[in-house]
Amino acid sequence: QSILSMNSIEVLYDNVMLAIKGVSVQVPKGGMVALLGSNGAGKSTTLKAISGLLKAERGHISRGEIKFDGTDITEMLAQKRVEMGICHVIEGRRVFEHLTPDENLTAAAPMGMSRSELSVQKDKIYDYFPRLAERRNSQAGYLSGGEQQMLAIGRALVTQPSLLMLDEPSLGLAPFLVAEIFGILQKINREEGLSVLLVEQNALAALEIVSEGYLIENGRVVMHGTAEALKSNS
Ligand code: ADP
Ligand code: ADP
């Protein structure tokens, strides 16, 4: 059973630039799936179509349908999708640099979350990311790249999503940090049943943690298979 079912999605930017040309992607409930492919292939656009962030970039879905947990979300507002449990960690690890990690997590909490619930969620996040826990009261702008990426993921987790989408979390990080962050993502997936859709240019690292992947080239899916099959093909 799929938590996400994207069927033949086409996206146009500025009404003229066809960025993806009929992409279909399924994420099984509790699964971990990677979108791989080179720069400009259409991976980020695919994530934005799912989270509803196209509008801000003058993009729109011109064909196809996206279902989340059985509900058609193709035209749904981005905020509504967040409330439904879709969370998108955009490329570039955006955090509030003048706030501490702790304050960043508070700021990311959904409206109406109680103090005690927030504190439970924070403890859980700090348990998963001990490096972040150590820096919880430092200014986020002074954190290392890896710590900022952990915080960006923590900000997503505080909303308790059922689908976590990550855009190039490994970008610019040392290999040991990529391994550490990917290992934690895999742990969260296993322990919480969180479904994950991971966009990566670093295919080798991604294929270590996902069960299946899609290779996207020039706006189309050119290969879909298990991590094992994709590894032997790359
Ligand atoms: P990837 O994430 O695989 O690097 P993108 O989804 O960012 O690829 O881009 C797919 C295509 O859409 C590229 O040709 C890119 O130049 C184009 N594109 C991306 N964003 C925009 C935008 N806001 N306006 C116009 N074209 C865009
Ligand atoms: P990286 O090479 O991973 O970016 P850095 O060498 O910049 O890491 O930093 C190493 C450690 O020192 C990290 O834990 C980082 O958060 C901390 N750090 C870096 N700059 C500052 C600073 N100006 N004030 C406080 N801590 C800092």
Side-chain angles (χ1 to χ4, degrees):
Q1 200 186 354
S2 298
I3 186 157
L4 182 86
S5 179
M6 177 180 211
N7 301 303
S8 309
I9 288 290
E10 259 182 24
V11 169
L12 276 173
Y13 287 112
D14 302 311
N15 280 315
V16 291
M17 161 71 200
L18 191 55
I20 58 173
K21 310 163 181 171
V23 168
S24 298
V25 169
Q26 320 288 325
V27 179
K29 255 187 192 151
M32 271 190 118
V33 175
L35 299 182
L36 310 171
S38 50
N39 220 350
K43 305 181 298 298
S44 295
T45 299
T46 301
L47 291 196
K48 288 171 192 165
I50 298 166
S51 58
L53 297 182
L54 288 171
K55 213 173 180 179
E57 298 193 27
R58 300 166 50 84
H60 74 278
I61 294 172
S62 48
R63 195 167 68 87
E65 176 197 63
I66 307 174
K67 282 192 165 173
F68 178 72
D69 224 357
T71 303
D72 188 338
I73 60 161
T74 319
E75 302 292 336
M76 197 178 270
L77 289 174
Q79 182 52 38
K80 190 89 192 296
R81 299 186 206 208
V82 173
E83 287 162 19
M84 286 190 76
I86 302 173
C87 209
H88 182 177
V89 181
I90 58 173
E91 194 177 323
R93 50 189 81 109
R94 221 67 69 76
V95 301
F96 294 122
E97 299 196 341
H98 57 290
L99 300 180
T100 66
D102 218 61
E103 291 163 345
N104 265 276
L105 294 181
T106 301
M111 285 222 285
M113 181 180 260
S114 70
R115 255 166 202 275
S116 59
E117 179 61 11
L118 175 60
S119 143
V120 168
Q121 289 310 317
K122 281 184 181 174
D123 286 345
K124 222 174 184 179
I125 289 162
Y126 291 135
D127 278 347
Y128 280 119
F129 295 101
R131 241 180 236 281
L132 197 55
E134 277 175 40
R135 306 300 309 275
R136 62 191 288 170
N137 295 313
S138 315
Q139 204 169 313
Y142 292 127
L143 301 183
S144 71
E147 290 162 344
Q148 288 188 0
Q149 184 62 61
M150 292 175 188
L151 179 55
I153 297 171
R155 285 175 50 85
L157 291 175
V158 93
T159 69
Q160 294 180 274
S162 40
L163 174 67
L164 179 66
M165 302 197 291
L166 303 139
D167 199 343
E168 301 267 6
S170 81
L171 207 67
L173 301 185
F176 83 93
L177 273 174
V178 176
E180 183 176 317
I181 291 175
F182 280 21
I184 294 168
L185 285 174
Q186 192 171 42
K187 191 168 170 220
I188 297 173
N189 164 260
R190 285 180 180 159
E191 292 177 4
E192 316 278 333
L194 174 68
S195 309
V196 177
L197 182 58
L198 175 65
V199 159
E200 265 301 335
Q201 278 192 54
N202 187 343
L204 283 180
L207 290 173
E208 287 299 317
I209 57 163
V210 300
S211 51
E212 58 181 296
Y214 293 79
L215 181 61
I216 299 185
E217 287 306 342
N218 197 20
R220 291 192 168 84
V221 174
V222 294
M223 206 186 293
H224 169 218
T226 63
E228 290 311 313
L230 287 167
K231 259 190 253 179
S232 57
N233 247 294
S234 60

